Amino acid sequence: MVTAPPLPAPRRSASRSTPRPGSRGGLFPLLLIAPAATLLITVLIYPLVGALVDAFFESNLLYPEKTFVGFENIISAFQGQFWPLLATTLTFAIPATILPFLVGLVAALGLNQRMRGRAVLRSVLLFPWVLPGVVVSFLWLWIFDANYGVLNGVLRSAGIISENIGWLDSGPGAMTAVIVARTWASFPWMMVMLLAALQSFPGDTYEAARVDGANSWQRFRYITVPGLMPVASVVVLLEFIWNFQQFDLLYVLTGGGPAGSTTTFSLAVYETAFKGFDLGMAGALGVLWMVILLPVVLLYLRRMEADN
Amino acid sequence: MTHTAPAVTAARTARPTRRRTSPTGESRPVRWGRWIALTLVSLFALLPIYWMVLTSLRSPSDVFTFPPNFLPTNITFDAFQTIFADGRLLHYLGNSLLVASVTAVGSVFVGMYCAYSFSKFRYRGRRSFMFLLLVSQLFPQILLLITIYGLFSAMGLLDSYLALIISFTTFTLPLCVWMMKGIFDNIPDEIIEAAKVDGAGQGVIIHRILLPLIAPGMIAAGLFAFIRGWNDFVFALTLSGEATRTLPPGLVNTYLSEFSNRWPELMAASLVASIPVILIFLALQRYFVAGLSSGAIKG
């Protein structure tokens, strides 16, 4: 669960609110940002740098001394855990980005029409997204339960399976479970963002297209899709970055198992640092993680730049 | 908005005669598609929550029947009695309330001054700092946790409420700053100029003049920060001790191990942890979409 940066918002009357060049205010504006800056440097910048520096040391949570080892950690991470971890992380992150997007898109398109009860439905559909990650995990742990879980019950009653499936006991089953749980918890956010974008479309565009003889599909293809692209690309990129960070669901629902089949970067870094106490290796995995995500982050930032 | 209203009304009243499809102007297949899609999405979103509520209201013997029964029969509050009789749940609940509330107040105040500075002053480094706020949300948080743990350990802050409050406040800052900056941007500078002419100092301007104007936005930002503090798991898991443990790590550490397979209790505890955020969220409704698009939330 992460707080997100701003998304391309409908631009406000920037000109009116931009102060005249005179409002520099000397040191006063710096004083105003000082508390925020202190917190950010202490809790975000310093820790990030600290973890990345650790990658070049033999560093252990239990001992204060550190020895410089250069690229040794990074090389051994690269030759060892890195590729399997990357594969697992992508196996989780790609479907867990696409599925919530699709469900969110369908929900947004469905709600983009005046109708009775729309406001109620929109807020109720957001419930999965506000629940704590731990609660989401407990809930899906119960649904996927091998013996009495409702999923097996429904599938058996419907005659789709004849014997209970131990979803969380097999790699593919456990991965399916976390992806489904993640889809459930994050589609509402996508829905709200896409719906806000849809509602910012000028209504007469559709009317004009209709007059010109465009059918529903053409209006969707040539007005809705291009109009949604800016917001869609931002939410997809952010969701992908967040999925690399996802911890709660993986930790509680599958614990990274069985046999490491759902151990992603974030779980591996956590385990390496807090169970194995090997800060050097955790930092090395972090360096590789950031290198892998860098293109996605840059793409996202360029997108934001374009919108502002 | 207002100047287009007559035209819209005219178009709408003209519609029924012009269109042979539906009152909403959709063709029949599109309307059916909409209903089917909304029904499926609603079932997907809500059935699990229904199942959580139903399970929490059942006795173990009803829960362990196969195939499961979907109707609310033999309702009992036993599970809630069990978890509340165990004092730990109330202890975690109290900790969560405390930590999340202080986080909310802290992020709103720290964020407000920062947002005011960003909105009404121009100085070197301003854009870079705003950019940093944006980018900070893309850092892997687990990686940050490693050094934060070491730092708080060295400062003797581990197992303290302060450790949790400091870290949650930092993580909610970007959202609070961006939300409140949007509000300050919409307050005309003339108000500030007029106050200056009247001899008001910056303190008076911020606290007496601007604060009442941005109060609704502050409440919204604060409630989002509260939800963030309430829901956090991994930082609370790592930085808290038994005395300061909040609900999410408390549920995992205690309930998941001791109550595993006691689904009514687990679902009852989950419900207890969910109700505050759901209520806050319902209260937030009208700020919600605006808040999302001006400085969006979490993933």
Side-chain angles (χ1 to χ4, degrees):
Chain A
M1 230 156 290
V2 202
T3 314
L7 284 123
R11 296 187 62 174
R12 298 223 170 79
S13 48
S15 55
R16 183 162 55 87
S17 62
T18 307
R20 283 158 279 300
S23 57
R24 290 178 180 277
L27 284 179
F28 183 68
L30 298 181
L31 197 69
L32 290 174
I33 61 168
T38 313
L39 281 175
L40 277 167
I41 291 166
T42 324
V43 181
L44 287 170
I45 307 305
Y46 167 72
L48 183 73
V49 174
L52 298 183
V53 166
D54 271 344
F56 299 92
F57 287 83
E58 191 180 309
S59 173
N60 192 299
L61 198 56
L62 304 178
Y63 312 108
E65 301 86 28
K66 297 180 181 184
T67 337
F68 183 74
V69 293
F71 284 90
E72 221 169 82
N73 289 325
I74 294 173
I75 291 167
S76 85
F78 199 69
Q79 290 170 339
Q81 299 179 68
F82 174 73
W83 293 108
L85 282 178
L86 180 63
T88 312
T89 307
L90 289 176
T91 310
F92 167 70
I94 293 173
T97 303
I98 295 172
L99 290 175
F101 175 76
L102 293 178
V103 179
L105 180 65
V106 166
L109 291 171
L111 286 174
N112 187 33
Q113 173 80 29
R114 278 176 194 285
M115 58 182 170
R116 211 186 305 164
R118 178 172 74 167
V120 174
L121 191 56
R122 187 181 66 186
S123 24
V124 165
L125 287 183
L126 276 156
F127 284 174
W129 173 82
V130 271
L131 297 187
V134 164
V135 167
V136 176
S137 313
F138 279 9
L139 179 53
W140 288 94
L141 203 55
W142 170 218
I143 291 174
F144 280 105
D145 184 72
N147 298 315
Y148 301 101
V150 66
L151 180 63
N152 277 333
V154 168
L155 292 177
R156 266 175 67 172
S157 304
I160 296 171
I161 55 171
S162 55
E163 252 176 63
N164 280 2
I165 296 176
W167 294 99
L168 300 170
D169 304 332
S170 79
M175 186 56 95
T176 308
V178 282
I179 290 170
V180 169
R182 179 66 191 158
T183 302
W184 186 75
S186 68
F187 92 81
W189 174 72
M190 303 266 202
M191 173 189 84
V192 171
M193 298 308 304
L194 294 169
L195 185 60
L198 284 173
Q199 292 184 339
S200 71
F201 288 7
D204 40 3
T205 323
Y206 284 103
E207 207 51 50
R210 217 193 299 256
V211 170
D212 289 345
N215 62 31
S216 309
W217 167 250
Q218 288 166 327
R219 290 197 299 270
F220 176 74
R221 173 68 190 81
Y222 295 106
I223 303 178
T224 311
V225 171
L228 279 180
M229 275 313 281
V231 169
S233 59
V234 166
V235 292
V236 162
L237 290 170
L238 260 184
E239 180 70 22
F240 186 75
I241 295 170
W242 284 334
N243 280 333
F244 260 66
Q245 302 201 17
Q246 176 56 46
F247 185 83
D248 302 11
L249 291 182
L250 294 154
Y251 183 87
V252 182
L253 194 51
T254 66
S261 55
T262 54
T263 302
T264 61
F265 275 114
S266 62
L267 248 71
V269 168
Y270 180 84
E271 305 258 309
T272 310
F274 293 104
K275 301 240 167 85
F277 308 116
D278 189 346
L279 301 188
M281 182 51 79
L285 288 174
V287 168
L288 293 171
W289 172 351
M290 306 250 314
V291 168
I292 287 290
L293 262 191
L294 197 63
V296 185
V297 170
L298 290 178
L299 211 61
Y300 167 77
L301 292 176
R302 263 184 59 183
R303 206 44 278 172
M304 293 299 299
E305 200 76 41
D307 284 316
N308 290 324
Chain B
M1 255 316 178
T2 41
H3 65 275
T4 58
V8 170
T9 322
R12 198 163 291 143
T13 44
R15 227 176 248 173
T17 51
R18 207 150 44 86
R19 195 156 320 249
R20 58 190 162 76
T21 49
S22 77
T24 51
E26 297 177 288
S27 64
R28 185 161 293 180
V30 171
R31 191 154 46 107
W32 276 101
R34 182 187 304 286
W35 282 112
I36 293 169
L38 281 181
T39 308
L40 290 178
V41 170
S42 306
L43 288 176
F44 174 62
L46 298 179
L47 276 182
I49 292 180
Y50 173 72
W51 197 237
M52 169 164 76
V53 176
L54 190 62
T55 305
S56 73
L57 293 170
R58 283 184 159 166
S59 65
S61 60
D62 280 354
V63 167
F64 297 125
T65 53
F66 201 88
N69 175 10
F70 286 99
L71 299 174
T73 47
N74 299 330
I75 292 305
T76 162
F77 289 93
D78 287 357
F80 288 93
Q81 272 176 0
T82 312
I83 58 167
F84 278 115
D86 181 337
R88 284 173 297 187
L89 185 80
L90 282 175
H91 173 64
Y92 301 144
L93 202 62
N95 284 343
S96 274
L97 269 177
L98 175 77
V99 169
S101 309
V102 180
T103 298
V105 173
S107 1
V108 165
F109 276 92
V110 174
M112 178 189 74
Y113 295 116
C114 186
Y116 177 59
S117 176
F118 282 168
S119 176
K120 298 300 180 197
F121 296 93
R122 294 292 175 273
Y123 45 89
R124 267 178 62 192
R126 171 179 155 278
R127 280 187 66 85
S128 320
F129 192 47
M130 287 174 62
F131 182 74
L132 183 68
L133 274 180
L134 183 78
V135 179
S136 69
Q137 297 310 302
L138 309 174
F139 299 159
Q141 301 215 344
I142 300 288
L143 211 55
L144 306 178
L145 186 55
I146 300 171
T147 317
I148 292 176
Y149 180 87
L151 183 70
F152 284 174
S153 164
M155 293 163 74
L157 282 178
L158 284 186
D159 305 355
S160 74
Y161 292 119
L162 197 57
L164 297 180
I165 291 166
I166 290 176
S167 39
F168 295 166
T169 301
T170 312
F171 293 124
T172 55
L173 262 184
L175 165 75
C176 290
V177 170
W178 282 94
M179 274 179 83
M180 288 188 278
K181 179 181 177 293
I183 304 170
F184 278 123
D185 284 349
N186 281 339
I187 295 179
D189 294 340
E190 287 72 19
I191 292 182
I192 300 170
E193 297 302 327
K196 271 188 193 157
V197 171
D198 290 344
Q202 285 290 356
V204 173
I205 292 177
I206 298 177
H207 299 115
R208 294 263 186 81
I209 299 171
L210 296 179
L211 206 113
L213 291 176
I214 67 156
M218 288 175 75
I219 292 170
L223 291 176
F224 282 126
F226 182 96
I227 293 181
R228 173 69 176 76
W230 184 275
N231 286 356
D232 180 89
F233 172 58
V234 66
F235 277 74
L237 177 74
T238 316
L239 301 176
S240 72
E242 183 54 32
T244 55
R245 189 156 294 149
T246 55
L247 212 42
L251 290 181
V252 171
N253 278 6
T254 327
Y255 283 83
L256 195 56
S257 50
E258 290 175 23
F259 288 73
S260 66
N261 294 325
R262 290 170 63 180
W263 295 108
E265 282 93 338
L266 274 177
M267 290 301 108
S270 299
L271 212 55
V272 169
S274 310
I275 285 169
V277 284
I278 296 233
L279 290 181
I280 285 180
F281 164 73
L282 286 176
L284 270 180
Q285 283 307 314
R286 66 199 181 92
Y287 302 111
F288 189 72
V289 174
L292 265 174
S293 45
S294 75
I297 323 292
K298 60 170 196 177

